[in-house]
């Protein structure tokens, strides 16, 4: 990432970002929570990307160089926390589940960031309590470091619907499926099918945020049928595409 900006204090605020826009690479001396009340927010670091659809938030540890990307019209809520406050003891970006109470706490806390009264202090205390109880979500798409895997993963990033086997992709990049399978486990900590499913889910979240129909999303992301896509989506996120996410008419950011 070039032109990395250093903003010592992580801001607490709410803002609207048009689809396709973002916030360039930067880092804070504070921790930060990024929550999308509408749309989908993604962050990217040298270690990969994380996507937060409805009812999810991103935990970004202090010092992490990251950029934000908006998919769909994004109502982004950011909460900055001092480096001394880490309720989940997390040292890497993580997607967290956001229940109804935590959602309202985040939205309320980012509406009046300049207020330092006792009510705000109590709001913050309850927000931290809710964070401690937030389950982590496996929505990390790691970035490979080895040249062979980078070449292979670039092919699939360009076309998530590519259905070639690992052996077929290996012939395209000049490596055996056995070598590539070993590299996926050693470099990315997951199998090739696991990584490809994560890639397709990330791509699907982006397309859904842009208003694409479920059947079209399933096709463009490589699932054999809409029902197969819906099944994987439900098992991963706990709801079907188009349900359990954001309310389209959510409160506007101020």
């Amino acid at each position: 990432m070039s032109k990395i900006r250093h903003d010592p204090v992580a801001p607490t605020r709410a803002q609207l970002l048009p689809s396709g826009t973002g916030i360039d690479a930067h880092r804070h001396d504070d921790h930060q929570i990024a929550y999308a009340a509408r749309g989908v927010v993604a962050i990217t670091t040298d270690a990969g990307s994380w996507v937060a659809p409805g009812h999810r938030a991103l935990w970004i540890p202090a010092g992490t160089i990251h950029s934000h990307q908006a998919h769909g019209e994004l109502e982004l809520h950011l909460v900055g926390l001092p480096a001394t406050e880490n309720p989940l003891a997390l040292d890497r970006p993580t997607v967290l589940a956001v229940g109804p109470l935590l959602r309202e706490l985040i939205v309320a806390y980012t509406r009046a960031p300049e207020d330092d009264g006792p009510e705000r202090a109590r709001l913050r205390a309850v927000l931290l309590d809710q964070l401690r109880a937030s389950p982590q979500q496996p929505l990390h798409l790691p970035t490979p470091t080895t040249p062979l895997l980078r070449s292979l993963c670039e092919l699939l990033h360009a076309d998530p619907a590519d259905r070639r086997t690992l052996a077929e992709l290996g012939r395209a990049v000049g490596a055996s499926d056995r070598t590539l399978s070993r590299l996926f486990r050693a470099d990315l900590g997951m199998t090739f099918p696991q990584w490809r499913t994560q890639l397709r889910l990330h791509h699907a979240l982006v397309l859904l945020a842009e208003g694409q129909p479920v059947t079209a999303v399933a096709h463009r992301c490589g699932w054999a049928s809409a029902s197969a896509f819906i099944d994987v989506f439900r098992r991963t996120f706990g709801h079907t595409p188009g349900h359990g996410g954001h309310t389209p008419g959510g409160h506007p950011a101020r």
Side-chain angles (χ1 to χ4, degrees):
M1 296 181 182
S2 60
K3 298 182 181 178
I4 297 165
R5 190 175 71 252
H6 178 212
D7 296 331
V9 177
T12 294
R13 64 172 184 247
Q15 65 187 108
L16 291 175
L17 290 173
S19 184
T21 63
I23 301 172
D24 292 338
H26 61 285
R27 64 183 176 88
H28 307 292
D29 297 336
D30 297 335
H31 303 304
Q32 190 174 59
I33 300 161
Y35 172 70
R38 183 170 65 244
V40 170
V41 61
I43 69 160
T44 301
T45 75
D46 287 341
S49 60
W50 291 257
V51 176
H55 298 325
R56 305 291 186 273
L58 287 159
W59 171 266
I60 307 165
T64 302
I65 298 170
H66 65 286
S67 59
H68 298 269
Q69 184 73 23
H71 300 292
E73 184 181 354
L74 177 62
E75 181 185 331
L76 180 63
H77 294 261
L78 299 171
V79 177
L81 294 171
T84 53
E85 292 189 79
N86 191 338
L88 290 171
L90 295 169
D91 60 1
R92 58 180 290 175
T94 305
V95 177
L96 303 173
V98 174
L101 176 56
L102 181 55
R103 178 195 187 281
E104 294 305 320
L105 289 166
I106 291 173
V107 170
Y109 192 75
T110 56
R111 285 290 160 76
E114 304 306 320
D115 176 12
D116 291 324
E119 270 190 30
R120 184 169 173 78
R122 290 193 293 271
L123 189 65
R124 176 194 181 90
V126 179
L127 193 157
L128 290 173
D129 282 342
Q130 288 296 304
L131 274 179
R132 290 185 185 95
S134 296
Q136 299 177 33
Q137 306 286 300
L139 292 175
H140 175 210
L141 183 68
T143 297
T145 60
T146 58
L148 271 176
L149 281 194
R150 279 202 300 269
S151 297
L152 185 151
C153 292
E154 284 168 5
L155 291 175
L156 296 180
H157 270 291
D159 180 15
D162 189 331
R163 296 185 186 180
R164 281 180 288 180
T165 65
L166 188 57
E168 291 168 333
L169 289 165
R171 286 194 286 274
V173 299
S176 69
D177 56 343
R178 179 176 295 183
T179 295
L180 291 170
S181 182
R182 176 178 54 79
L183 285 174
F184 265 98
R185 288 187 175 87
D187 191 9
L188 303 182
M190 58 177 60
T191 65
F192 169 65
Q194 288 171 332
W195 187 90
R196 178 149 66 178
T197 297
Q198 288 287 75
L199 171 70
R200 288 175 171 176
L201 284 170
H202 277 220
H203 194 62
L205 289 169
V206 170
L207 295 176
L208 289 168
E210 292 171 353
Q212 294 289 319
V214 170
T215 300
V217 171
H219 174 73
R220 290 181 61 182
C221 294
W223 274 280
S225 65
S227 60
F229 165 54
I230 291 168
D231 181 57
V232 173
F233 195 97
R234 183 193 294 113
R235 283 190 278 112
T236 303
F237 299 113
H239 57 82
T240 58
H243 293 82
H246 309 298
T247 302
H251 304 295
R254 295 173 184 166

